[in-house]
Amino acid sequence: MSLSAGGYGQNMLPVAATITGIDRLTDKDCVFSIRLSKGGILRFRASQFVILSLFGIGEAPISISSSPLDSEKSFELCIRVVGNLTRAVHRLSVGDKVGIRGPYGNGFPMERIEGRDVVIVAGGLGLAPLRSLIRHVIHERDRYGRVIVLIGAKRPQDILFKEDILLWEANPSIEVHLTVDVAVPPWDKHVGVITKLFRYVDVDSLNAVAAVVGPPIMYRFVVSEILNKGLFEGNIYLSLERRMRCGIGKCGHCQINGIYLCQDGPVLSYMEARKLKEAL
Amino acid sequence: MDRTIKYDGVEGFIARLMDNYDVIAPVPREDRFVFDLLTEPSGAVMEYGTTLLPPVKWIYRNNEPLLKFDLEDIEKTKAVIDVRQQVLLFVHPCDINAINIMDEVLAEEPADENYLAIRRATVIIGYECLTPCREDTLCYDKGCHYADRGYDVIFTDIGSGFYVRVETGRGKEIVGGDPSFRKAVYDDRIALMLRRDEGGLRFGRAVAGEMGKLSHLLKENYDDDIWDVKGERCLSCGACNIVCPTCYCFDTVDEIGSDMREGCRYRRWDGCQLEGFCKVASGENFRDSAAARIRHRVFKKEVYLKKRFGRSGCVGCGRCIDSCMAGISIIDIFNHIMEKRHA
Amino acid sequence: MRPKIGVFSFTSCEGCQLQVLNLEDELLHLIEQVEFVNFREMMSEKGENYEIAFVEGSITRESEEGDLERIRNKAGILVAFGACAHIGGINVLKNVCPKDMWLTATYGRRDLFSDTIPVKRIKDVVDVDYVLPGCPIDKEEFLRFVQALVLEIEPRLPDYPVCVECRSRGNICLVEQGRWCLGSVTRAGCDAICPTYRDNCTGCRGLTEDPNIKSLFNILLEKGFTREQIESKFGLFNGLEGISGPGSTED
């Protein structure tokens, strides 16, 4: 077979990037700081994702956990070991190279969040993309109203970004509430499902938005709590997960009814998601 | 300027095409037909029933290389497109319409550049159907028993030879300089008109009801029992996806040479009817019943693509019906849904 | 640093081992990646320091169980290698046939193999880490499998049925032609070699993860095959899967 490299065909071509830092969060999650080679800059919005390549193993979509306002030089990916690719990434060291393409997806519509109260609900690994949003909001804190962050995890040791959470808890301009399904001493915060934290949510419902990311089972229950608080369906944003391969709206895996999540998502307003029977 | 060619001039024309192109033509396989690379000009068949795989699969190929990589040096990774100058010969109108759909869908930004590059290097010579090639077809319902664009030239049997309509500049180049063709005259055009009129009468509807309402009726019947009924029967074998001329879902696989130094990332055909299509690494399967998968296939063609591109993604070739060993037929599904309006 | 591999054989034709030797062009590259320390068909040394054991064949004598357990105890990774090891393979036919009958039919006498027991799969005796299916195994799949082990990633098998590969090759469906074929419920990876050469898929690579056996059974009944015929087709390789037709007590 003759393989001819042309000037085209770049849509599925990753660029080289270097791991500049690795921070272990839990026994199965690490945060990788990534810098693109040749001074490349990844311009992205909160809750966009990249597709990470290890050649010979494959690719996987990974949401960006740093804020677009953090640094131009690098970005952060929180990666949980779930399959071959992620397991192999966890074996890499600082200085090793990976392939990156993207960013893909729409990200959170910051312009529609500005000036409003913000309720952020993160279940488990859902904090990975939401950390990007939280950091973004903190960066330009005066542009938003009340900011309330609800975080749920299985056990205390499963909570991601504990260092960030300590900073957020110490920050008087935002409210953070944590819960775990199963408490392990010395846990002294809430125990139970994340919906229990909604009693702390007191916002200007007509002028508030919510951002929700978590395991598939979580959405219905959390959305119902948010609706009970009086928020508009169009002001509730969910970031969904599906199998993704190409990132360019072609391979079909991430399709939810008529939309390609990689292009039209991963962030959907509840108003949109509600109309998609396969979404929730 | 249109041309004509005598029956006995065709083989010479094919021989000259083979000098400059890979010529992919319908050839017999047992009692059926496939598009295959011609080795002899006489190998091509003009009168053939729908091929097992559609010709578009020579543009959207299985195991298409996307990237070449070096395991030692990631910077050496490069995109590859395996382009060959090829002619798809004697393509039926349904399959030309399918290629038109693929062209539109895969050109939507961010485009599928591999497909587009190979498509640009592909000459399409059509062969007009004057009689239905099979029973289980809904090409007439879909208005795809004829094609008015998408080919470079198209042959129509007019009794004395073939009338050759020339659609593109590339088509003009191919037939213009070839000694087998002569310019079409008034009588040839009359013969073409008559033949096409006669031919049109031989086609009939397979689906009772207005096709224009299908999309709407499907949406109304999203939760109909038919999906469960068909789902129980479905083997989730993916045959309908693989043989469909407008199915383009794919997976990628990395393969490494036995020396463990270099490798290639390939595109491999995938199908939404397969059990693992929507399964993520953590084990969650976002479309885990055959019923939901069949519904997705039908909705993708008739609702989602229609909404996005203004036309149905099904050209009515009938291959999915033909290839289903469980006997699941979109004609049955469409008729069932069409009846629902009266329910 | 090269992982050490042992290849072992129980009751089988040893054709799967032969497939490894058939990797003529790649064999030199392969031994740069891994070290074979015990491989009867290839070498006379019998090293015991293997990390990965490829075990071929099924268990048909009690004495084999102890041998297999010893291999399991030494190997970090144990791979059931080929259909006999994976699903019992055609050896399982012995289980459904009176001993006198198969002895007489096969050897013309019945006073042989006093120590034979009903066929067991490798997984019926010891824990199996991975499976490399097929009768015989696919040598390319073996190469990719070893590559995965060298790269320390999970070797993956296709999760789709043989039909995908068969249709992708533009084959005419055997079932459509009125013949029987188990490709629609059988794990792909063989590139549909049997149907491509117009032979029935006998299911040698084992079932897919969620096979619709009931539907295939009904389809074959509708095509005129009898329940007994269909059960015997499944029994050829998948005799230990407990497949039976509609209406039976196990249905």
Side-chain angles (χ1 to χ4, degrees):
Chain A
M1 186 191 299
S2 69
L3 293 172
S4 59
Y8 35 56
Q10 310 293 312
N11 273 343
M12 297 273 287
L13 177 68
V15 297
T18 306
I19 296 173
T20 57
I22 301 173
D23 190 8
R24 177 160 288 282
L25 300 182
T26 75
D27 58 349
K28 51 188 191 294
D29 303 279
C30 280
V31 172
F32 294 80
S33 298
I34 312 270
R35 188 167 61 214
L36 300 183
S37 295
K38 297 168 186 160
I41 293 170
L42 191 80
R43 301 204 181 278
F44 63 94
R45 298 164 69 109
S47 200
Q48 279 194 301
F49 63 94
V50 294
I51 290 183
L52 182 135
S53 262
L54 288 185
F55 297 102
I57 298 176
E59 293 190 298
I62 310 279
S63 55
I64 305 167
S65 289
S66 53
S67 154
L69 304 177
D70 280 345
S71 160
E72 283 217 321
K73 286 185 189 137
S74 67
F75 55 93
E76 291 175 356
L77 304 177
C78 175
I79 298 175
R80 170 167 296 178
V81 175
V82 284
N84 261 341
L85 182 103
T86 48
R87 194 174 304 112
V89 174
H90 271 242
R91 285 199 295 264
L92 298 178
S93 316
V94 170
D96 284 341
K97 289 188 172 175
V98 296
I100 294 284
R101 54 193 184 90
Y104 294 113
N106 51 5
F108 283 110
M110 301 309 296
E111 64 285 353
R112 299 183 63 174
I113 297 176
E114 255 191 72
R116 297 168 186 255
D117 289 355
V118 188
V119 182
I120 294 170
V121 187
L125 194 53
L127 188 56
L130 286 171
R131 175 183 180 250
S132 174
L133 176 69
I134 297 166
R135 290 174 73 102
H136 190 131
V137 166
I138 290 173
H139 261 284
E140 35 179 49
R141 179 66 190 87
D142 51 352
R143 294 200 189 180
Y144 306 92
R146 292 188 67 179
V147 177
I148 302 170
V149 179
L150 311 182
I151 296 169
K154 278 208 183 80
R155 303 166 303 171
Q157 60 266 45
D158 299 321
I159 295 174
L160 303 174
F161 299 109
K162 292 193 184 77
E163 285 177 23
D164 288 79
I165 292 172
L166 284 175
L167 291 174
W168 300 338
E169 284 176 326
N171 184 335
S173 73
I174 62 172
E175 298 164 46
V176 183
H177 303 278
L178 282 89
T179 185
V180 293
D181 296 340
V182 183
V184 177
W187 183 254
D188 59 355
K189 304 206 172 82
H190 298 279
V191 179
V193 290
I194 198 163
T195 44
K196 283 190 172 178
L197 299 178
F198 274 86
R199 68 183 116 125
Y200 302 106
V201 175
D202 175 21
V203 288
D204 174 6
S205 61
L206 296 181
N207 193 32
V209 297
V212 185
V213 191
I217 186 135
M218 192 188 89
Y219 291 100
R220 278 175 189 280
F221 300 105
V222 166
V223 166
S224 143
E225 292 288 339
I226 299 171
L227 291 171
N228 283 342
K229 293 285 172 188
L231 271 73
F232 290 131
E233 290 180 346
N235 285 339
I236 303 169
Y237 294 99
L238 320 171
S239 177
L240 303 183
E241 181 207 6
R242 287 296 183 274
R243 185 172 165 205
M244 286 179 187
R245 190 54 87 212
C246 72
I248 60 172
K250 301 288 184 285
C251 79
H253 293 99
C254 72
Q255 194 161 8
I256 301 177
N257 297 108
I259 69 149
Y260 280 110
L261 198 67
C262 70
Q263 289 278 310
D264 308 318
V267 178
L268 302 175
S269 74
Y270 178 63
M271 194 188 267
E272 296 166 280
R274 195 172 62 94
K275 291 181 200 148
L276 302 172
K277 298 206 177 194
E278 293 182 325
L280 300 174
Chain B
M1 176 63 84
D2 292 349
R3 296 288 195 280
T4 59
I5 184 170
K6 295 281 180 208
Y7 294 124
D8 60 8
V10 175
E11 213 173 292
F13 166 60
I14 297 173
R16 286 182 287 279
L17 273 180
M18 287 171 68
D19 291 340
N20 298 313
Y21 297 95
D22 283 357
V23 177
I24 319 293
V27 298
R29 176 170 290 178
E30 297 182 47
D31 58 342
R32 305 285 297 278
F33 300 90
V34 290
F35 274 88
D36 208 350
L37 183 65
L38 276 191
T39 50
E40 293 291 333
S42 59
V45 188
M46 298 188 84
E47 293 298 332
Y48 65 96
T50 317
T51 52
L52 290 152
L53 288 175
V56 72
K57 306 281 175 175
W58 283 85
I59 308 176
Y60 199 81
R61 286 179 300 219
N62 199 15
N63 295 319
E64 174 82 27
L66 300 174
L67 304 176
K68 256 180 102 172
F69 53 81
D70 183 313
L71 286 175
E72 303 295 313
D73 185 0
I74 196 168
E75 308 276 354
K76 285 187 184 160
T77 309
K78 60 183 181 185
V80 290
I81 304 181
D82 181 15
V83 177
R84 282 169 286 188
Q85 300 297 318
Q86 60 182 2
V87 174
L88 294 181
L89 193 61
F90 305 144
V91 180
H92 280 167
C94 58
D95 286 330
I96 295 173
N97 282 298
I99 293 170
N100 290 340
I101 292 170
M102 294 282 269
D103 287 355
E104 195 171 348
V105 170
L106 298 175
E108 189 189 37
E109 288 294 335
D112 186 319
E113 294 163 299
N114 288 60
Y115 174 86
L116 293 182
I118 296 166
R119 174 68 182 89
R120 277 185 224 110
T122 304
V123 175
I124 293 174
I125 297 181
Y127 185 74
E128 187 147 51
C129 296
L130 296 174
T131 187
C133 65
R134 45 182 293 142
E135 272 176 34
D136 277 347
T137 168
L138 59 162
C139 60
Y140 186 73
D141 302 82
K142 291 287 181 182
C144 291
H145 62 303
Y146 72 98
D148 52 16
R149 65 187 175 90
Y151 47 83
D152 294 286
V153 302
I154 190 164
F155 283 50
T156 310
D157 189 337
I158 53 168
S160 55
F162 299 103
Y163 190 96
V164 181
R165 276 179 286 156
V166 180
E167 182 71 16
T168 63
R170 188 161 57 174
K172 198 174 162 186
E173 271 172 41
I174 283 173
V175 300
D178 190 283
S180 290
F181 295 89
R182 65 180 183 82
K183 283 182 181 159
V185 296
Y186 180 77
D187 284 355
D188 299 324
R189 272 192 286 278
I190 294 296
L192 173 73
M193 260 171 57
L194 291 172
R195 283 282 168 153
R196 294 186 82 199
D197 282 353
E198 265 170 46
L201 296 174
R202 295 190 193 103
F203 288 83
R205 293 289 303 275
V207 179
E210 261 180 79
M211 291 307 277
K213 296 199 169 145
L214 183 58
S215 183
H216 174 71
L217 285 168
L218 281 166
K219 280 190 271 182
E220 298 275 289
N221 292 286
Y222 188 89
D223 294 315
D224 194 87
D225 290 343
I226 188 142
W227 313 118
D228 290 323
V229 172
K230 301 294 178 190
E232 202 156 303
R233 183 89 178 162
C234 178
L235 293 157
S236 299
C237 73
C240 51
N241 289 137
I242 301 293
V243 302
C244 176
T246 64
C247 269
Y248 51 85
C249 289
F250 68 91
D251 197 2
T252 58
V253 279
D254 286 11
E255 281 187 9
I256 307 172
S258 58
D259 60 358
M260 302 280 278
R261 291 200 179 95
E262 288 177 344
C264 193
R265 180 164 294 162
Y266 295 93
R267 175 220 297 284
R268 190 163 287 174
W269 294 339
D270 205 341
C272 62
Q273 301 303 289
L274 299 170
E275 192 263 335
F277 187 72
C278 289
K279 210 185 254 182
V280 293
S282 58
E284 184 104 21
N285 191 341
F286 288 98
R287 207 176 285 119
D288 65 355
S289 73
R293 293 192 290 268
I294 293 175
R295 176 173 60 201
H296 180 73
R297 178 168 70 93
V298 173
F299 271 64
K300 174 133 185 184
K301 306 291 180 196
E302 298 300 337
V303 181
Y304 310 145
L305 283 173
K306 187 158 190 176
K307 186 172 177 213
R308 207 157 180 129
F309 297 98
R311 57 154 302 163
S312 157
C314 169
V315 295
C317 70
R319 286 187 180 90
C320 56
I321 304 169
D322 190 50
S323 68
C324 184
M325 70 172 86
I328 298 168
S329 160
I330 47 165
I331 294 177
D332 294 346
I333 294 174
F334 290 169
N335 275 324
H336 173 88
I337 295 291
M338 289 290 199
E339 275 167 28
K340 281 280 158 176
R341 67 197 294 205
H342 307 297
Chain C
M1 283 302 283
R2 290 179 300 163
K4 292 185 173 62
I5 290 182
V7 180
F8 302 93
S9 196
F10 291 95
T11 303
S12 64
C13 72
E14 303 199 8
C16 291
Q17 292 191 44
L18 199 57
Q19 280 293 86
V20 177
L21 296 178
N22 283 343
L23 281 166
E24 292 163 353
D25 294 338
E26 289 88 8
L27 215 48
L28 288 178
H29 279 140
L30 183 63
I31 58 173
E32 283 171 17
Q33 317 297 337
V34 297
E35 184 183 350
F36 288 99
V37 297
N38 195 325
F39 191 168
R40 189 161 61 94
E41 210 155 303
M42 183 168 88
M43 56 200 271
S44 45
E45 291 93 328
K46 294 210 182 307
E48 295 291 310
N49 55 336
Y50 45 86
E51 292 148 343
I52 303 164
F54 284 88
V55 178
E56 174 194 53
S58 50
I59 300 303
T60 62
R61 278 179 307 181
E62 263 169 41
S63 62
E64 290 179 326
E65 292 193 20
D67 293 342
L68 178 57
E69 276 157 12
R70 275 189 290 280
I71 294 167
R72 172 73 270 189
N73 289 338
K74 282 181 189 154
I77 293 173
L78 187 141
V79 184
F81 185 57
C84 296
H86 171 209
I87 48 181
I90 54 171
N91 297 347
V92 178
L93 292 174
K94 187 180 76 165
N95 295 11
V96 294
C97 208
K99 188 180 172 192
D100 279 359
M101 190 200 278
W102 65 259
L103 271 176
T104 316
T106 316
Y107 300 99
R109 47 192 282 205
R110 59 184 69 179
D111 55 341
L112 291 164
F113 308 127
S114 56
D115 57 346
T116 189
I117 57 169
V119 169
K120 292 180 181 179
R121 299 162 287 202
I122 299 302
K123 71 172 177 188
D124 296 329
V125 180
V126 296
D127 287 339
V128 169
D129 298 298
Y130 301 110
V131 162
L132 202 53
C135 178
I137 59 140
D138 182 283
K139 58 183 185 175
E140 301 294 330
E141 191 167 51
F142 173 78
L143 258 192
R144 289 194 297 275
F145 191 93
V146 173
Q147 280 180 345
L149 294 178
V150 170
L151 290 169
E152 293 179 69
I153 59 175
E154 296 274 315
R156 290 274 160 81
L157 300 173
D159 60 355
Y160 45 84
V162 173
C163 290
V164 171
E165 295 174 333
C166 191
R167 299 293 184 162
S168 297
R169 296 185 69 159
N171 292 335
I172 303 170
C173 177
L174 290 169
V175 176
E176 214 178 288
Q177 292 181 322
R179 298 174 62 185
W180 61 272
C181 180
L182 306 184
S184 58
V185 295
T186 300
R187 189 185 292 278
C190 51
D191 208 14
I193 185 165
C194 296
T196 299
Y197 289 95
R198 310 320 282 153
D199 212 345
N200 324 70
C201 171
T202 52
C204 74
R205 291 175 56 85
L207 300 172
T208 53
E209 270 150 46
D210 191 18
N212 194 345
I213 303 276
K214 190 177 157 201
S215 179
L216 178 60
F217 220 105
N218 284 329
I219 290 163
L220 293 176
L221 286 172
E222 288 159 21
K223 298 272 177 193
F225 294 97
T226 65
R227 200 183 122 174
E228 291 68 31
Q229 282 174 321
I230 303 165
E231 282 174 0
S232 79
K233 303 307 177 198
F234 274 110
L236 196 53
F237 276 98
N238 291 281
L240 292 175
E241 298 291 333
I243 292 165
S244 55
S248 76
T249 48
E250 289 152 87
D251 186 41

